Amino acid sequence: MNTPKRRRTDAPNSDLQDANTLLRTVIDENPNIILMKDWNGKFLLGNRALANLYGTTPEELVGKDDGDFNPNAEQVAFYLKNVREVMSEGQTRVVMEESTDTATGETFYYQSIKIPLTTPQGDKQILVIANDVSELKRVQLKLEESERRLSYVLDATGEGIWDWDIRTGVVTHNRRWCQIAGLNDEYLQHPLDEFAALLHADDKARVMAKLQDCLAGKARYQSEHRMRLKGQQEVWVLDRGDVVERDANGQPLRMVGSFVDISERKAAEALLSEHSAQLDAIFALSPDGFVAFNHRHLVKYVSPTFTTLTGLSATEVIGLDESAFSQRLEALCPPDAGFQGLAALRNTTPAAMGNEPHQVFELKESPGATVSGRRVLKVSLRESQEQSISQILSLRDISHETAVDRMKSEFLSTAAHELRTPMSSIYGFAEVLLTEQLGEAERKEFLEIIYRQSKLMASILNELLDLARIEALQGKDFVFETVPVQGLIEDVVRGLKLPDGRALPMLALPAQPVFLWADQKKTQMALLNVLSNAYKYSAPDKPVHLAVRTQPGEVILCVTDQGVGMSPEQAVRVGERFYRADSSGKVPGTGLGMSIVKEIMALHYGRVDIVSAPGQGTTVALVFPAGSATG
C-alpha cells in the first residue's frame, strides 16, 4: 500500500533531476559563454564554451577565477572590477569585453550581458551571458581602418565635383575636376557642350544617352568613359550623379555629381584581362585537365581539356560538391578500375607515394583511348591557401605510358622466353661435354648444336639491338636520298646469302629507271629480311619472285614465294615481336625480322601489304614514296 505513495513522492525529484539535466545540457551546448560568479570572482558555474576558451572543463572551472586560466593580468583585473561594479549597482549592464585564448594567444571580443543576483542569504552573485562578436569586431575594425584610409585619400587627392544648372546649361566644377580633365581654372564654369567636346568619340553617344536617362528619371547617372586631354592624351574617369532638383511638373532643374580618375584601374583591368586570356589559352593548350573548387568545395572551373578527357561539360559539373563530382567521375569508370573519390584521394599519404596524392583510374570505352578501348587517367589533388580556391584537381592522360609499360613488360617476358630456349640447349650440351666421355661423332654433334644455338642467340640479340636502335632514334640516323630501284635490287641480290641449292630470285624490273625516296641501307635491310623469309618458308624447288611496280606517288617492291602461306589470322600478326607463323620450330628464325621491316617502313612513311593463303604462298609488298631523278 505504501509503494504508490513512494512513487508519487519520488516523481517530483525525478522530474527535477531531468529538468536540471536538460538545463545543464542547454547551457553547455549554447555557443554563447554562460557563467556565474560570486563577489570574489570565483566561478559558480561555467558552460563548455567558456571551458573551451580556457582549455579546461566546466567542472574544473567551479571554485576558480579568471586568473587561474587567463595569463592576461590586466584583463583579469578588469573582469573582477567590472562584475563588482554591476553587483554593487544592482542594474543589468551590457559591456564589450576582450578575452585571450590560453592555447593560441588570440584575442576574442564579446558583448556581455551582466545580470546582478542576490541569494536568499544576501550574497551577491552575477550571471554573465557573453556573445562572441569577434568576427563582427574584426570586420568593424577593418571597416574603420578602410574609412580612415579613404578619408586620408580624399583629403590628399579629392574627387572632382560638378554642378549642372540645367536651365542655363552651365556646368560648375571644383579645381580637382579640372586637374583630372587636364584643364586650367578657366574651365571651372562652362557650357555643357564643352564637356561633350572632351568625350572620346567612341564613348560620347553612350554617355549622353545615360545623362538623358537620368534626366528622365529612369536611373541614376553612372558612366565609365574616356576623355581626351590636350595633346590627344586620354584619361579614364568614373562619372556619377543624379538630379537633385525638379520643378512642380517633374522637369529636372539641377544635377550634381562626382568625377574620379580610374585610368590606373582600367590599366590593371586590361592587364588582368590579358593575363586571364593567357591563362585560358594555357589551360586550353595544356594536355592536362584541371578542376578548381571554391572555398565551399564546390566545382568552380573546369578546363577544356578536362571535358576532352572525360566527356563531361562545364555545365554538367560546375556547382557540384565533392561527393556529387566524384560520383559523376565514378560513373564513367569500369568496376575494376574506378575512381575512388576525392575523400580517398585526400586521405592518401603523399610521403608514401613520393609526391602529391594521386590515383590512377580508367574510363570506359572512349575516343583516343588505348588499344584496350579504355582511357587511363592519373588524377592529383593539390590544396590551395587562396580564399577563393580551396583545391585544384589535375587529370593527366597516361594511356600511352600505360600501354608502353605493358608492352615493355610483355616484350621483356617474351624476349626472356625466346633467349631461354637456346641458352638452355647451350648450357645442357656444354654440361654433357664437360662431364661425360663421348665419342668423336657425338662430341661433334653436340658442338654443332651449341654452335647453332649460339648463332640463334646472337641473331636474336643483334635484331633486338637493331630494333631498339631504330625505335630510339626514330629515323634521326636515316639518310634520305633519291635511290635508283634497279641499282638497289642489284646490290640486294648480290649480297643475298642463299640456302644451299636455291636459285636467285626471279626479277621483274621496269624498263625505265625508277627511283625511291629512302635511306638506301635501311631499305636494303628491309628487303633482305623479306627475301630471307620467302626462302625459309618455301620448298627448295619453288622459285622466289622479286618484282617492281609503280603507281602515282608510290614505288612497290613485291616479294612472292610459293611456300606454305598463312591464314588471315596469321597474316594479321606478322610484325609482332617474336611472332612466327610456323610454330613447329623447323624453320629457323628469331621472329623479329618483320618487326624490323615494319619499323623501317613506318619511318619511310610507307607501309607493308601482305597477301597470303595457306598452301598458296605469300606476297609481301613494301610500298615506298616515289623519288625523282633530280632528287
Side-chain angles (χ1 to χ4, degrees):
M1 297 296 292
N2 292 333
T3 302
K5 291 181 180 180
R6 189 158 47 249
R7 285 179 180 172
R8 284 194 298 270
T9 303
D10 292 344
N13 292 334
S14 177
D15 292 343
L16 180 60
Q17 184 177 3
D18 291 344
N20 287 337
T21 301
L22 177 60
L23 178 60
R24 184 69 211 194
T25 301
V26 171
I27 291 173
D28 275 338
E29 296 302 323
N30 196 305
N32 295 326
I33 289 177
I34 301 176
L35 60 92
M36 288 185 65
K37 290 182 178 180
D38 61 15
W39 176 261
N40 295 317
K42 301 292 185 180
F43 290 112
L44 302 173
L45 176 146
N47 70 344
R48 187 175 292 113
L50 175 63
N52 289 342
L53 177 66
Y54 278 163
T56 185
T57 64
E59 293 77 15
E60 290 294 323
L61 287 169
V62 177
K64 298 178 182 177
D65 59 26
D66 293 285
D68 292 315
F69 306 101
N70 191 341
N72 191 325
E74 185 178 347
Q75 286 181 359
V76 172
F78 170 78
Y79 295 156
L80 182 59
K81 178 175 178 295
N82 183 255
V83 296
R84 284 183 172 177
E85 288 176 355
V86 175
M87 286 188 283
S88 298
E89 291 175 0
Q91 299 292 327
T92 298
R93 186 188 296 183
V94 178
V95 298
M96 293 297 296
E97 294 181 308
E98 300 177 7
S99 184
T100 303
D101 190 310
T102 57
T104 64
E106 184 178 1
T107 300
F108 291 88
Y109 300 89
Y110 296 92
Q111 183 183 55
S112 299
I113 302 174
K114 300 193 174 184
I115 305 170
L117 305 170
T118 303
T119 67
Q121 292 76 26
D123 296 331
K124 294 184 180 298
Q125 298 178 346
I126 189 167
L127 170 65
V128 180
I129 302 175
N131 179 29
D132 187 349
V133 294
S134 302
E135 189 63 29
L136 181 62
K137 182 67 175 179
R138 294 186 186 102
V139 172
Q140 180 183 349
L141 292 173
K142 289 181 180 178
L143 181 60
E144 290 174 356
E145 178 65 19
S146 297
E147 289 177 346
R148 205 162 32 246
R149 290 179 180 176
L150 179 60
S151 176
Y152 294 153
V153 171
L154 290 176
D155 289 343
T157 62
E159 286 195 7
I161 305 298
W162 51 268
D163 186 344
W164 178 20
D165 188 334
I166 299 172
R167 290 166 296 187
T168 63
V170 174
V171 184
T172 302
H173 307 285
N174 66 350
R175 284 187 172 81
R176 180 57 185 155
W177 190 98
C178 293
Q179 291 171 0
I180 294 172
L183 303 171
N184 54 38
D185 289 353
E186 296 175 2
Y187 285 86
L188 288 175
Q189 201 172 61
H190 61 76
L192 181 66
D193 291 345
E194 292 189 16
F195 161 74
L198 295 172
L199 294 172
H200 192 282
D202 294 340
D203 300 341
K204 183 175 181 179
R206 175 171 54 82
V207 174
M208 300 308 292
K210 287 188 175 184
L211 280 172
Q212 290 302 317
D213 286 344
C214 183
L215 295 177
K218 296 180 180 178
R220 297 185 65 182
Y221 168 68
Q222 179 166 319
S223 173
E224 293 184 2
H225 54 262
R226 291 162 291 179
M227 298 188 68
R228 292 183 299 126
L229 309 183
K230 292 181 180 180
Q232 299 303 311
Q233 183 182 354
E234 293 180 359
V235 59
W236 274 95
V237 297
L238 170 60
D239 202 7
R240 293 167 291 187
D242 203 358
V243 175
V244 295
E245 187 177 347
R246 294 181 183 270
D247 63 16
N249 298 319
Q251 295 300 311
L253 301 176
R254 186 182 180 191
M255 186 174 178
V256 298
S258 65
F259 181 90
V260 63
D261 185 347
I262 59 169
S263 300
E264 290 186 3
R265 196 197 84 195
K266 282 293 184 179
E269 288 177 354
L271 183 60
L272 180 61
S273 177
E274 181 182 352
H275 287 173
S276 297
Q278 291 174 351
L279 285 175
D280 288 343
I282 290 171
F283 282 136
L285 295 174
S286 172
D288 294 346
F290 295 94
V291 182
F293 292 79
N294 65 15
H295 67 287
R296 295 168 56 199
H297 289 259
L298 303 179
V299 177
K300 180 179 182 179
Y301 168 82
V302 297
S303 70
T305 306
F306 170 83
T307 298
T308 301
L309 293 177
T310 65
L312 294 174
S313 66
T315 55
E316 290 180 272
V317 296
I318 287 180
L320 295 180
D321 60 23
E322 288 187 0
S323 177
F325 175 79
S326 297
Q327 290 174 6
R328 281 293 182 93
L329 271 187
E330 186 178 1
L332 302 176
C333 304
D336 59 334
F339 178 56
Q340 299 174 17
L342 288 176
L345 181 60
R346 187 180 294 106
N347 292 332
T348 305
T349 305
M353 310 185 73
N355 51 20
E356 61 191 16
H358 70 266
Q359 292 178 15
V360 175
F361 64 94
E362 298 180 5
L363 301 182
K364 297 174 185 176
E365 292 189 9
S366 57
T370 60
V371 177
S372 65
R374 294 181 179 181
R375 188 190 296 276
V376 184
L377 298 180
K378 174 184 176 181
V379 57
S380 303
L381 182 68
R382 177 168 294 180
E383 295 187 343
S384 170
Q385 302 302 318
E386 298 294 330
Q387 292 184 353
S388 60
I389 301 294
S390 61
Q391 58 193 8
I392 295 177
L393 198 70
S394 65
L395 293 91
R396 173 167 295 180
D397 189 345
I398 59 170
S399 304
H400 176 71
E401 292 89 334
T402 303
V404 169
D405 287 343
R406 187 180 297 118
M407 289 171 61
K408 284 180 180 177
S409 297
E410 293 173 355
F411 172 74
L412 289 173
S413 176
T414 306
H417 174 75
E418 293 295 327
L419 288 169
R420 184 184 299 148
T421 301
M423 178 60 75
S424 297
S425 294
I426 293 170
Y427 180 82
F429 284 104
E431 184 178 27
V432 171
L433 288 172
L434 287 172
T435 59
E436 295 187 16
Q437 295 293 327
L438 302 174
E440 186 60 29
E442 285 183 307
R443 184 178 181 83
K444 182 178 180 182
E445 179 186 356
F446 287 2
L447 287 173
E448 287 175 351
I449 292 173
I450 291 174
Y451 174 76
R452 286 196 304 271
Q453 295 300 320
S454 298
K455 187 176 180 181
L456 176 59
M457 280 191 64
S459 298
I460 292 174
L461 291 173
N462 287 333
E463 292 189 354
L464 280 174
L465 289 173
D466 287 340
L467 194 57
R469 189 180 301 110
I470 291 170
E471 288 183 340
L473 294 176
Q474 286 294 302
K476 293 177 182 177
D477 62 334
F478 281 27
V479 179
F480 287 92
E481 58 185 338
T482 299
V483 179
V485 173
Q486 285 86 344
L488 171 73
I489 290 178
E490 288 177 3
D491 290 341
V492 169
V493 172
R494 190 181 304 117
L496 183 61
K497 294 182 180 179
L498 293 172
D500 293 340
R502 300 298 298 269
L504 290 171
M506 300 180 69
L507 304 181
L509 306 180
Q512 300 299 321
V514 176
F515 299 92
L516 297 175
W517 181 249
D519 179 293
Q520 183 160 343
K521 291 182 178 180
K522 298 299 188 296
T523 303
Q524 288 178 353
M525 180 187 294
L527 187 53
L528 281 169
N529 275 333
V530 175
L531 284 169
S532 175
N533 280 345
Y535 279 102
K536 287 178 186 176
Y537 287 95
S538 60
D541 58 338
K542 300 293 184 180
V544 173
H545 297 265
L546 174 54
V548 177
R549 293 189 289 109
T550 61
Q551 57 188 35
E554 293 180 337
V555 176
I556 307 170
L557 309 183
C558 296
V559 177
T560 303
D561 64 55
Q562 299 177 32
V564 296
M566 294 180 289
S567 67
E569 294 77 15
Q570 291 174 317
V572 78
R573 295 191 62 188
V574 171
E576 291 183 16
R577 295 170 186 181
F578 298 108
Y579 176 73
R580 303 178 65 202
D582 174 66
S583 59
S584 66
K586 296 179 180 179
V587 180
T590 64
L592 293 171
M594 287 304 295
S595 298
I596 294 174
V597 171
K598 281 202 167 184
E599 290 288 343
I600 290 174
M601 294 307 297
L603 293 172
H604 277 86
Y605 300 98
R607 66 181 188 276
V608 179
D609 293 338
I610 298 175
V611 177
S612 185
Q616 298 181 25
T618 301
T619 296
V620 177
L622 305 182
V623 184
F624 288 88
S628 63
T630 58

